[in-house]
């Protein structure tokens, strides 16, 4: 996820987390919401953080495999790339 942030530092303000619970905070609230919709289209269900719709939360089940994690990261990367294309 940090690599996604580095590639899209104009969109993603911060990536933070521990273990399997991570959040991606976008500079603009609408970007967080649009990214969540793009992730849903990729088959990844995200949520936003409480009342902060600029932060997307990633909380996979504890039984997730390494291969599944890599797939999730790839799909999130695709979603952020699509968001970036919309912004240009």
């Amino acid at each position: 996820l940090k690599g996604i942030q580095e590639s899209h530092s104009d969109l993603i303000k911060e990536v933070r987390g521990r273990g399997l619970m991570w959040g991606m905070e976008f500079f603009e609230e609408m970007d967080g919401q649009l990214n969540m919709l793009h992730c849903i289209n990729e088959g990844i269900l995200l949520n936003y953080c409480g009342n902060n719709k600029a932060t997307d939360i990633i909380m996979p089940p504890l039984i997730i495999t390494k291969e599944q994690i890599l797939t999730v990261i790839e799909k999130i990367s695709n979603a952020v790339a699509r968001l970036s294309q919309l912004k240009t």
Side-chain angles (χ1 to χ4, degrees):
L1 293 176
K2 297 267 186 186
I4 297 171
Q5 178 190 14
E6 290 172 5
S7 298
H8 300 284
S9 59
D10 57 324
L11 295 173
I12 302 173
K13 181 177 181 179
E14 183 181 13
V15 172
R16 57 187 177 273
R18 181 174 293 183
L20 288 176
M21 186 173 171
W22 285 81
M24 287 191 313
E25 183 177 359
F26 291 83
F27 286 105
E28 297 181 28
E29 187 174 286
M30 184 58 73
D31 290 344
Q33 293 175 356
L34 287 173
N35 183 65
M36 189 177 356
L37 291 175
H38 288 305
C39 284
I40 289 170
N41 287 335
E42 288 280 339
I44 304 298
L45 182 60
L46 300 180
N47 200 357
Y48 58 85
C49 180
N51 62 355
N52 182 0
K53 294 180 181 175
T55 302
D56 292 347
I57 302 266
I58 301 116
M59 293 185 300
L62 296 176
I63 59 170
I64 193 167
T65 66
K66 183 176 181 177
E67 293 80 23
Q68 290 169 327
I69 290 172
L70 295 175
T71 300
V72 168
I73 291 171
E74 179 182 343
K75 289 183 177 193
I76 290 172
S77 179
N78 293 342
V80 173
R82 256 190 301 218
L83 177 61
S84 181
Q85 289 174 350
L86 284 175
K87 300 287 282 188
T88 57

